[in-house]
Amino acid sequence: MKHIYKRMRSSLPLPALLAALLIVASCDSAPPPARTGARPAPGQAADFTLPDTGGRTFRLSEQRGKTVLIVFSTTWCSTCRSEIPYYKELYARLTQKGVVMVGVDVLESRDKVARFTARYNLPYRTLLDESGRVADDYGVPGVPAVAIVGPDGALACSPCRNPEETLASLAGTK
């Protein structure tokens, strides 16, 4: 087995292999969704428009005046699944106080995410970031991750280490 690896390694340098893989992977992928508007000013949240699992559109800028809690996750993430009861409880508590909470599923298909949201009976809208661009714009290093946008459109934190503390400081939502 080692001799096969050595022969493969010597026939094609790793950088060339990686470049070829990137080219092939990008050939059939859909173009990323267009950003809504220009790059945000420093401290402002990047505006985005994403479809939810039901086909309706969510646009962050339409939430101006409200605090928005964004939970980035995937269906395959075991930690994301284990935190669902906490997110459901948070949703029940915070929506009464006017906080908008959405899930953003990163890099997965609508069908897969729709089945997942139905299976776990998620009460909040789940948006589809199929290109991963929104997660990138918010500096998401991995899932699960939380971002909070204040009523003025300012990015309060992303990723948030203690979302409840940040929410309490924004609007007394604890």
Side-chain angles (χ1 to χ4, degrees), residues 108-144:
E108 294 185 289
S109 73
R110 177 186 312 260
D111 291 341
K112 185 175 191 175
V113 178
R115 285 191 306 270
F116 180 85
T117 59
R119 177 180 178 193
Y120 286 93
N121 197 26
L122 299 182
Y124 44 87
R125 284 176 75 179
T126 302
L127 312 177
L128 303 164
D129 184 15
E130 291 179 287
S131 71
R133 177 172 270 171
V134 174
D136 286 344
D137 285 350
Y138 281 77
V140 173
V143 293

Tab-separated table of all heavy atoms in Angstrom, residues 108-144:
chain	number	residue	atom	x	y	z
A	108	GLU	N	-26.523	22.922	2.825
A	108	GLU	CA	-27.323	21.717	2.652
A	108	GLU	C	-28.548	22.014	1.798
A	108	GLU	O	-28.988	23.149	1.695
A	108	GLU	CB	-27.739	21.146	4.001
A	108	GLU	CG	-26.550	20.648	4.814
A	108	GLU	CD	-26.966	19.972	6.091
A	108	GLU	OE1	-27.437	20.663	7.005
A	108	GLU	OE2	-26.828	18.737	6.154
A	109	SER	N	-29.131	20.978	1.229
A	109	SER	CA	-30.269	21.135	0.324
A	109	SER	C	-31.566	21.416	1.075
A	109	SER	O	-31.732	21.022	2.230
A	109	SER	CB	-30.444	19.871	-0.517
A	109	SER	OG	-30.960	18.825	0.281
A	110	ARG	N	-32.487	22.048	0.359
A	110	ARG	CA	-33.801	22.384	0.921
A	110	ARG	C	-34.525	21.125	1.414
A	110	ARG	O	-35.090	21.123	2.511
A	110	ARG	CB	-34.649	23.095	-0.120
A	110	ARG	CG	-36.064	23.417	0.350
A	110	ARG	CD	-36.933	23.982	-0.751
A	110	ARG	NE	-36.277	25.032	-1.483
A	110	ARG	CZ	-36.481	26.337	-1.291
A	110	ARG	NH1	-37.343	26.734	-0.395
A	110	ARG	NH2	-35.833	27.226	-2.010
A	111	ASP	N	-34.531	20.055	0.608
A	111	ASP	CA	-35.258	18.842	0.987
A	111	ASP	C	-34.722	18.234	2.276
A	111	ASP	O	-35.492	17.855	3.154
A	111	ASP	CB	-35.198	17.800	-0.134
A	111	ASP	CG	-36.001	18.217	-1.362
A	111	ASP	OD1	-36.886	19.099	-1.242
A	111	ASP	OD2	-35.732	17.680	-2.452
A	112	LYS	N	-33.425	18.136	2.367
A	112	LYS	CA	-32.805	17.550	3.564
A	112	LYS	C	-33.128	18.389	4.801
A	112	LYS	O	-33.496	17.863	5.849
A	112	LYS	CB	-31.289	17.460	3.370
A	112	LYS	CG	-30.568	16.767	4.488
A	112	LYS	CD	-29.100	16.602	4.163
A	112	LYS	CE	-28.437	15.681	5.158
A	112	LYS	NZ	-27.055	15.407	4.808
A	113	VAL	N	-33.021	19.709	4.680
A	113	VAL	CA	-33.267	20.601	5.810
A	113	VAL	C	-34.753	20.607	6.182
A	113	VAL	O	-35.104	20.607	7.362
A	113	VAL	CB	-32.752	22.024	5.512
A	113	VAL	CG1	-33.060	22.963	6.663
A	113	VAL	CG2	-31.246	21.988	5.235
A	114	ALA	N	-35.630	20.557	5.184
A	114	ALA	CA	-37.075	20.533	5.456
A	114	ALA	C	-37.456	19.276	6.244
A	114	ALA	O	-38.257	19.342	7.189
A	114	ALA	CB	-37.858	20.615	4.158
A	115	ARG	N	-36.900	18.146	5.863
A	115	ARG	CA	-37.171	16.901	6.606
A	115	ARG	C	-36.666	17.020	8.048
A	115	ARG	O	-37.331	16.598	8.990
A	115	ARG	CB	-36.505	15.701	5.911
A	115	ARG	CG	-37.215	15.255	4.644
A	115	ARG	CD	-36.698	13.914	4.131
A	115	ARG	NE	-35.247	13.876	3.942
A	115	ARG	CZ	-34.626	14.196	2.811
A	115	ARG	NH1	-35.318	14.586	1.753
A	115	ARG	NH2	-33.309	14.116	2.720
A	116	PHE	N	-35.489	17.603	8.201
A	116	PHE	CA	-34.890	17.762	9.533
A	116	PHE	C	-35.759	18.671	10.412
A	116	PHE	O	-36.040	18.337	11.559
A	116	PHE	CB	-33.480	18.351	9.383
A	116	PHE	CG	-32.768	18.561	10.678
A	116	PHE	CD1	-32.062	17.517	11.272
A	116	PHE	CD2	-32.775	19.793	11.309
A	116	PHE	CE1	-31.386	17.710	12.471
A	116	PHE	CE2	-32.109	19.992	12.503
A	116	PHE	CZ	-31.415	18.943	13.087
A	117	THR	N	-36.183	19.824	9.872
A	117	THR	CA	-36.986	20.762	10.675
A	117	THR	C	-38.325	20.148	11.063
A	117	THR	O	-38.822	20.382	12.158
A	117	THR	CB	-37.197	22.105	9.952
A	117	THR	OG1	-37.847	21.878	8.709
A	117	THR	CG2	-35.893	22.820	9.729
A	118	ALA	N	-38.911	19.347	10.171
A	118	ALA	CA	-40.169	18.667	10.491
A	118	ALA	C	-39.948	17.603	11.564
A	118	ALA	O	-40.737	17.485	12.504
A	118	ALA	CB	-40.764	18.045	9.235
A	119	ARG	N	-38.879	16.850	11.411
A	119	ARG	CA	-38.589	15.768	12.373
A	119	ARG	C	-38.398	16.318	13.786
A	119	ARG	O	-38.874	15.743	14.758
A	119	ARG	CB	-37.342	15.014	11.939
A	119	ARG	CG	-36.924	13.931	12.898
A	119	ARG	CD	-35.698	13.212	12.431
A	119	ARG	NE	-35.312	12.208	13.404
A	119	ARG	CZ	-34.164	11.588	13.398
A	119	ARG	NH1	-33.291	11.829	12.438
A	119	ARG	NH2	-33.866	10.704	14.322
A	120	TYR	N	-37.693	17.443	13.891
A	120	TYR	CA	-37.401	18.020	15.210
A	120	TYR	C	-38.410	19.103	15.608
A	120	TYR	O	-38.260	19.716	16.656
A	120	TYR	CB	-35.970	18.558	15.247
A	120	TYR	CG	-34.954	17.447	15.314
A	120	TYR	CD1	-34.376	16.938	14.159
A	120	TYR	CD2	-34.607	16.867	16.527
A	120	TYR	CE1	-33.469	15.902	14.206
A	120	TYR	CE2	-33.700	15.821	16.594
A	120	TYR	CZ	-33.131	15.339	15.434
A	120	TYR	OH	-32.227	14.303	15.491
A	121	ASN	N	-39.419	19.324	14.768
A	121	ASN	CA	-40.489	20.274	15.062
A	121	ASN	C	-39.939	21.639	15.497
A	121	ASN	O	-40.302	22.169	16.543
A	121	ASN	CB	-41.416	19.687	16.135
A	121	ASN	CG	-42.735	20.406	16.183
A	121	ASN	OD1	-43.177	20.974	15.186
A	121	ASN	ND2	-43.359	20.401	17.341
A	122	LEU	N	-39.055	22.183	14.670
A	122	LEU	CA	-38.439	23.471	14.996
A	122	LEU	C	-39.469	24.591	14.871
A	122	LEU	O	-40.107	24.723	13.829
A	122	LEU	CB	-37.245	23.746	14.075
A	122	LEU	CG	-36.105	22.726	14.148
A	122	LEU	CD1	-34.971	23.149	13.229
A	122	LEU	CD2	-35.623	22.528	15.562
A	123	PRO	N	-39.638	25.401	15.905
A	123	PRO	CA	-40.659	26.450	15.873
A	123	PRO	C	-40.224	27.710	15.123
A	123	PRO	O	-41.061	28.508	14.723
A	123	PRO	CB	-40.890	26.756	17.347
A	123	PRO	CG	-39.578	26.451	18.000
A	123	PRO	CD	-39.014	25.292	17.225
A	124	TYR	N	-38.938	27.900	14.949
A	124	TYR	CA	-38.430	29.096	14.275
A	124	TYR	C	-38.163	28.794	12.805
A	124	TYR	O	-37.960	27.653	12.413
A	124	TYR	CB	-37.155	29.621	14.952
A	124	TYR	CG	-36.159	28.547	15.310
A	124	TYR	CD1	-35.209	28.107	14.400
A	124	TYR	CD2	-36.181	27.965	16.580
A	124	TYR	CE1	-34.310	27.114	14.733
A	124	TYR	CE2	-35.279	26.969	16.911
A	124	TYR	CZ	-34.349	26.549	15.982
A	124	TYR	OH	-33.464	25.565	16.314
A	125	ARG	N	-38.184	29.853	11.990
A	125	ARG	CA	-37.924	29.687	10.556
A	125	ARG	C	-36.497	29.210	10.344
A	125	ARG	O	-35.569	29.696	10.984
A	125	ARG	CB	-38.096	31.013	9.828
A	125	ARG	CG	-39.533	31.400	9.636
A	125	ARG	CD	-39.659	32.756	9.006
A	125	ARG	NE	-39.355	32.738	7.578
A	125	ARG	CZ	-39.426	33.807	6.814
A	125	ARG	NH1	-39.792	34.971	7.312
A	125	ARG	NH2	-39.142	33.724	5.527
A	126	THR	N	-36.343	28.286	9.416
A	126	THR	CA	-35.015	27.817	9.058
A	126	THR	C	-34.719	28.276	7.637
A	126	THR	O	-35.438	27.948	6.703
A	126	THR	CB	-34.911	26.288	9.177
A	126	THR	OG1	-35.223	25.909	10.523
A	126	THR	CG2	-33.509	25.813	8.844
A	127	LEU	N	-33.647	29.051	7.520
A	127	LEU	CA	-33.227	29.618	6.245
A	127	LEU	C	-32.144	28.752	5.627
A	127	LEU	O	-31.407	28.063	6.334
A	127	LEU	CB	-32.712	31.043	6.454
A	127	LEU	CG	-33.603	31.957	7.303
A	127	LEU	CD1	-32.941	33.313	7.489
A	127	LEU	CD2	-34.976	32.096	6.681
A	128	LEU	N	-32.033	28.827	4.302
A	128	LEU	CA	-31.098	27.975	3.571
A	128	LEU	C	-29.939	28.793	3.016
A	128	LEU	O	-30.110	29.574	2.084
A	128	LEU	CB	-31.827	27.274	2.425
A	128	LEU	CG	-33.025	26.440	2.857
A	128	LEU	CD1	-33.901	26.103	1.670
A	128	LEU	CD2	-32.564	25.196	3.585
A	129	ASP	N	-28.774	28.614	3.611
A	129	ASP	CA	-27.545	29.252	3.128
A	129	ASP	C	-26.779	28.194	2.351
A	129	ASP	O	-25.742	27.702	2.785
A	129	ASP	CB	-26.738	29.783	4.316
A	129	ASP	CG	-25.484	30.539	3.909
A	129	ASP	OD1	-25.357	30.904	2.718
A	129	ASP	OD2	-24.637	30.765	4.791
A	130	GLU	N	-27.319	27.837	1.183
A	130	GLU	CA	-26.761	26.721	0.418
A	130	GLU	C	-25.356	26.993	-0.106
A	130	GLU	O	-24.592	26.066	-0.327
A	130	GLU	CB	-27.697	26.354	-0.730
A	130	GLU	CG	-28.995	25.743	-0.219
A	130	GLU	CD	-29.958	25.387	-1.322
A	130	GLU	OE1	-30.558	26.306	-1.907
A	130	GLU	OE2	-30.094	24.185	-1.595
A	131	SER	N	-24.984	28.255	-0.278
A	131	SER	CA	-23.637	28.579	-0.761
A	131	SER	C	-22.646	28.780	0.385
A	131	SER	O	-21.446	28.746	0.171
A	131	SER	CB	-23.673	29.852	-1.600
A	131	SER	OG	-23.913	30.975	-0.768
A	132	GLY	N	-23.140	29.028	1.588
A	132	GLY	CA	-22.267	29.306	2.727
A	132	GLY	C	-21.831	30.761	2.817
A	132	GLY	O	-21.088	31.129	3.724
A	133	ARG	N	-22.298	31.605	1.928
A	133	ARG	CA	-21.862	33.001	1.901
A	133	ARG	C	-22.270	33.771	3.160
A	133	ARG	O	-21.484	34.536	3.696
A	133	ARG	CB	-22.402	33.714	0.672
A	133	ARG	CG	-22.010	35.204	0.680
A	133	ARG	CD	-22.348	35.883	-0.585
A	133	ARG	NE	-21.196	35.736	-1.448
A	133	ARG	CZ	-21.174	36.060	-2.713
A	133	ARG	NH1	-22.250	36.520	-3.284
A	133	ARG	NH2	-20.078	35.931	-3.423
A	134	VAL	N	-23.495	33.567	3.636
A	134	VAL	CA	-23.939	34.297	4.830
A	134	VAL	C	-23.104	33.870	6.036
A	134	VAL	O	-22.659	34.711	6.823
A	134	VAL	CB	-25.449	34.106	5.073
A	134	VAL	CG1	-25.878	34.747	6.391
A	134	VAL	CG2	-26.246	34.701	3.913
A	135	ALA	N	-22.864	32.575	6.176
A	135	ALA	CA	-22.012	32.091	7.265
A	135	ALA	C	-20.629	32.731	7.178
A	135	ALA	O	-20.060	33.141	8.199
A	135	ALA	CB	-21.907	30.572	7.233
A	136	ASP	N	-20.089	32.836	5.976
A	136	ASP	CA	-18.788	33.499	5.795
A	136	ASP	C	-18.863	34.967	6.191
A	136	ASP	O	-17.971	35.473	6.869
A	136	ASP	CB	-18.311	33.394	4.348
A	136	ASP	CG	-17.816	32.015	3.982
A	136	ASP	OD1	-17.543	31.206	4.899
A	136	ASP	OD2	-17.708	31.736	2.772
A	137	ASP	N	-19.913	35.662	5.752
A	137	ASP	CA	-20.064	37.085	6.072
A	137	ASP	C	-20.131	37.327	7.573
A	137	ASP	O	-19.746	38.388	8.056
A	137	ASP	CB	-21.322	37.663	5.415
A	137	ASP	CG	-21.162	37.890	3.921
A	137	ASP	OD1	-20.024	37.784	3.400
A	137	ASP	OD2	-22.188	38.164	3.260
A	138	TYR	N	-20.643	36.352	8.301
A	138	TYR	CA	-20.776	36.490	9.754
A	138	TYR	C	-19.618	35.855	10.522
A	138	TYR	O	-19.656	35.767	11.737
A	138	TYR	CB	-22.133	35.937	10.212
A	138	TYR	CG	-23.225	36.946	9.948
A	138	TYR	CD1	-23.728	37.138	8.676
A	138	TYR	CD2	-23.708	37.749	10.969
A	138	TYR	CE1	-24.689	38.095	8.417
A	138	TYR	CE2	-24.669	38.705	10.724
A	138	TYR	CZ	-25.156	38.879	9.444
A	138	TYR	OH	-26.104	39.843	9.203
A	139	GLY	N	-18.603	35.407	9.816
A	139	GLY	CA	-17.410	34.876	10.467
A	139	GLY	C	-17.645	33.599	11.239
A	139	GLY	O	-16.991	33.349	12.248
A	140	VAL	N	-18.557	32.771	10.765
A	140	VAL	CA	-18.883	31.524	11.461
A	140	VAL	C	-17.733	30.533	11.261
A	140	VAL	O	-17.469	30.108	10.144
A	140	VAL	CB	-20.216	30.945	10.933
A	140	VAL	CG1	-20.487	29.573	11.528
A	140	VAL	CG2	-21.357	31.906	11.238
A	141	PRO	N	-17.070	30.156	12.364
A	141	PRO	CA	-15.936	29.235	12.252
A	141	PRO	C	-16.359	27.775	12.167
A	141	PRO	O	-15.604	26.918	11.749
A	141	PRO	CB	-15.150	29.496	13.541
A	141	PRO	CG	-16.198	29.913	14.526
A	141	PRO	CD	-17.248	30.645	13.730
A	142	GLY	N	-17.561	27.482	12.585
A	142	GLY	CA	-18.096	26.126	12.613
A	142	GLY	C	-19.474	26.176	13.233
A	142	GLY	O	-19.904	27.221	13.714
A	143	VAL	N	-20.173	25.051	13.211
A	143	VAL	CA	-21.518	25.017	13.758
A	143	VAL	C	-21.551	24.156	15.005
A	143	VAL	O	-20.725	23.257	15.132
A	143	VAL	CB	-22.533	24.501	12.714
A	143	VAL	CG1	-22.680	25.481	11.592
A	143	VAL	CG2	-22.158	23.124	12.191
A	144	PRO	N	-22.440	24.458	15.920
A	144	PRO	CA	-23.375	25.570	15.925
A	144	PRO	C	-22.678	26.883	16.259
A	144	PRO	O	-21.648	26.900	16.931
A	144	PRO	CB	-24.379	25.202	17.017
A	144	PRO	CG	-23.579	24.382	17.992
A	144	PRO	CD	-22.590	23.620	17.133
